[in-house]
Amino acid sequence: MRPVGILGGMGPEATILLMQKVLGAVRAADDADHLPLIVHQNPQVPSRIKALLEGGGEDPGPVLAAMAQDLERAGAQALAMPCNTAHHYADAVRAASDLPFLDMLELTAGHLAARGATRIGMLASPATRRVAVFDEIFAAHGLTPVWTGDEDEMLSIIRAVKAGAEMAPLGPRLRALAEAMSEGDAGADHWLVACTELSLMTGSLEGGPGWTDSLDCLVAGVAAFAQG
């Protein structure tokens, strides 16, 4: 087993969900059968929303780079980051460490292409659209992002999750945004949960045209590396 270092805290619940999913990724008869993780749970990573959407926020890049180095010193053999928006700073993480970086966006795009999806309804922070986080990787896999027409509502849902709001009222709001993106001939044929805060409410998407959670794609990558 090879330990994977997790750049976490963006947000804290999303990192805990990743750990739970990694725990469930193997059939274990004893503790030693589980996959080793070294988790840097750092909720003080500067806000990606403030830096990318609101302007003037502190650059998260140096903090993420320092976290990568901490994880390498702690014995990690690869790095993973369960935050889609933070992948805007992935180059800073790669430059800070020689460890392989398990790129959630690349893992997700490969999974979507293999499923035959083409037009992807983006359940994601508006910051990812603003700075084109997915554009290059999606284009390389023949994928087209479909963005919500109500970014204020999407951001409101994400902020509510970060604030610890009850999930039950948020699920129908997320579902409504997803369904709106699938309307018309140019609508989405597949939904992508591309914000790990929204990974906490994927039950609201059941029965739709088909959906993928980017966090599940990262979990699969973590498990494959750890067991490799």
Side-chain angles (χ1 to χ4, degrees):
M1 297 282 195
R2 298 184 291 176
V4 177
I6 306 299
L7 290 89
M10 303 171 282
E13 281 193 276
T15 302
I16 293 169
L17 182 59
L18 169 80
M19 296 169 68
Q20 291 173 330
K21 286 177 175 286
V22 170
L23 192 72
V26 295
R27 298 184 64 180
D30 198 1
D31 293 349
D33 297 328
H34 284 287
L35 306 179
L37 299 177
I38 303 172
V39 180
H40 198 329
Q41 178 78 302
N42 184 9
Q44 277 69 53
V45 175
S47 168
R48 285 67 59 205
I49 290 173
K50 287 183 179 178
L52 300 176
L53 278 181
E54 298 172 358
E58 182 183 349
D59 181 3
V63 176
L64 294 172
M67 290 169 67
Q69 292 169 348
D70 288 344
L71 289 164
E72 183 171 9
R73 285 191 292 267
Q77 295 185 30
L79 299 172
M81 186 162 59
C83 176
N84 290 271
T85 308
H87 277 65
H88 178 66
Y89 305 98
D91 285 347
V93 175
R94 291 186 177 98
S97 169
D98 292 331
L99 296 180
F101 180 69
L102 307 179
D103 190 315
M104 179 161 59
L105 308 189
E106 182 62 46
L107 291 165
T108 298
H111 172 83
L112 292 170
R115 288 196 59 166
T118 56
R119 297 185 59 80
I120 312 302
M122 302 297 290
L123 300 171
S125 166
T128 61
R129 181 194 62 78
R130 180 79 59 86
V131 297
V133 169
F134 286 92
D135 286 11
E136 184 176 345
I137 289 173
F138 269 26
H141 288 272
L143 305 171
T144 300
V146 177
W147 299 97
T148 180
D150 192 348
E151 291 190 339
D152 288 343
E153 170 70 348
M154 184 72 77
L155 193 56
S156 174
I157 294 171
I158 293 169
R159 289 188 187 279
V161 175
K162 288 183 177 292
E166 289 291 329
M167 296 291 176
L170 298 176
R173 292 168 59 186
L174 182 66
R175 177 61 180 253
L177 289 176
E179 290 182 343
M181 284 188 280
S182 290
E183 294 174 352
D185 293 339
D189 58 36
H190 195 88
W191 298 335
L192 175 64
V193 179
C195 172
T196 51
E197 308 291 3
L198 304 179
S199 298
L200 295 157
M201 60 178 77
T202 54
S204 65
L205 303 179
E206 295 295 345
W211 59 271
T212 291
D213 186 351
S214 62
L215 190 63
D216 290 333
C217 298
L218 182 59
V219 168
V222 167
F225 179 88
Q227 293 172 313

